[in-house]
Amino acid sequence: EDKVVQSPLSLVVHEGDTVTLNCSYEVTNFRSLLWYKQEKKAPTFLFMLTSSGIEKKSGRLSSILDKKELFSILNITATQTGDSAIYLCAAAPRRSNYGGSQGNLIFGKGTKLSVKP
Amino acid sequence: GAGVSQTPSNKVTEKGKYVELRCDPISGHTALYWYRQSLGQGPEFLIYFQGTGAADDSGLPNDRFFAVRPEGSVSTLKIQRTERGDSAVYLCASSFAPVTNTEAFFGQGTRLTVV
């Protein structure tokens, strides 16, 4: 059964700290891995990773994928209170061989990050 | 519209009742997805539409759940004979490309509470 596992499930840090969030996956016909930030209800897209070893970066956030070891990490440097949220990792399967579309993302449970002032 | 709109934002219903949840996707987005998120869990895939047709409904938990998208835009998720275990946040997302979820934008969700 396809699954995505995130760790830790929750994390409390102080402003200015650097954090690393982990995501491991076991997905048949894996295509890509995505990171979302969820505040309140709507997840907002952060990164999509398709190739191993290529870091994606956006401001203080960065992420990398290891397709051999089947994991990804999300780093946040110089954390701010506004970074407090649930960070979701999701794996996207490849389009099926018979040409049908696959629209499902397989999400992990998320990491709840709390940044204290 | 500017973003994915879901209505209502909150719905409380009695066990056994029928409910409809609405999703209005971003204009021009052909792909539409429904997910369900229970407390402390990640979103769980329910169904995916490409245009008017359900391209993948493998995530619907049972036959009490049904979704439509008759004109390829607005979608309605319908739940019959609701049970307390159906309580969750129901998220809708839309995108231009059918399987490229990078472009998928999520709505604010409908929080369904079955009492």
Side-chain angles (χ1 to χ4, degrees):
Chain A
E1 183 182 337
D2 293 342
K3 65 179 180 180
V4 173
V5 178
Q6 293 186 245
S7 65
L9 292 180
S10 66
L11 188 57
V12 180
V13 300
H14 287 94
E15 273 192 316
D17 288 350
T18 293
V19 298
T20 298
L21 310 183
N22 303 293
C23 174
S24 64
Y25 62 91
E26 293 178 28
V27 173
T28 307
N29 295 322
F30 172 83
R31 175 173 65 86
S32 58
L33 188 131
L34 296 92
W35 285 96
Y36 285 84
K37 178 181 181 182
Q38 187 174 31
E39 300 169 277
K40 299 189 180 178
K41 286 193 269 184
T44 54
F45 171 76
L46 295 175
F47 298 112
M48 184 182 80
L49 303 154
T50 307
S51 302
S52 269
I54 299 174
E55 185 183 55
K56 292 277 183 91
K57 197 169 173 66
S58 176
R60 296 177 293 102
L61 278 66
S62 63
S63 184
I64 197 162
L65 174 67
D66 185 328
K67 291 171 74 172
K68 182 180 177 184
E69 300 298 329
L70 307 182
F71 79 89
S72 174
I73 59 172
L74 175 69
N75 281 316
I76 308 175
T77 59
T79 51
Q80 302 172 357
T81 54
D83 295 329
S84 296
I86 295 172
Y87 289 84
L88 294 165
C89 169
R94 191 172 299 279
R95 182 188 291 264
S96 61
N97 291 335
Y98 57 81
S101 297
Q102 285 188 303
N104 55 313
L105 290 173
I106 302 157
F107 281 88
K109 291 185 178 182
T111 293
K112 184 176 180 180
L113 175 65
S114 299
V115 181
K116 303 294 186 186
Chain B
V4 178
S5 174
Q6 291 188 246
T7 55
S9 56
N10 288 283
K11 175 73 177 176
V12 181
T13 191
E14 292 180 347
K15 180 175 177 294
K17 297 289 189 184
Y18 168 83
V19 296
E20 289 190 351
L21 311 180
R22 177 188 166 106
C23 173
D24 198 342
I26 292 172
S27 179
H29 281 191
T30 57
L32 184 146
Y33 321 82
W34 283 100
Y35 290 83
R36 175 171 72 173
Q37 187 172 23
S38 301
L39 193 62
Q41 304 293 318
E44 174 193 17
F45 171 74
L46 296 176
I47 187 169
Y48 154 56
F49 287 90
Q50 179 56 34
T52 60
D56 183 354
D57 64 358
S58 62
L60 294 177
N62 52 59
D63 62 5
R64 294 187 298 105
F65 288 75
F66 188 71
V68 296
R69 195 186 185 199
E71 296 177 359
S73 179
V74 171
S75 176
T76 305
L77 178 66
K78 307 180 180 191
I79 311 174
Q80 298 177 322
R81 305 183 303 281
T82 51
E83 300 176 357
R84 292 196 178 88
D86 298 335
S87 297
V89 175
Y90 288 81
L91 293 165
C92 175
S94 70
S95 68
F96 280 117
V99 294
T100 308
N101 289 87
T102 50
E103 291 90 359
F105 295 89
F106 282 83
Q108 290 293 323
T110 294
R111 184 180 300 280
L112 175 66
T113 305
V114 182
V115 297

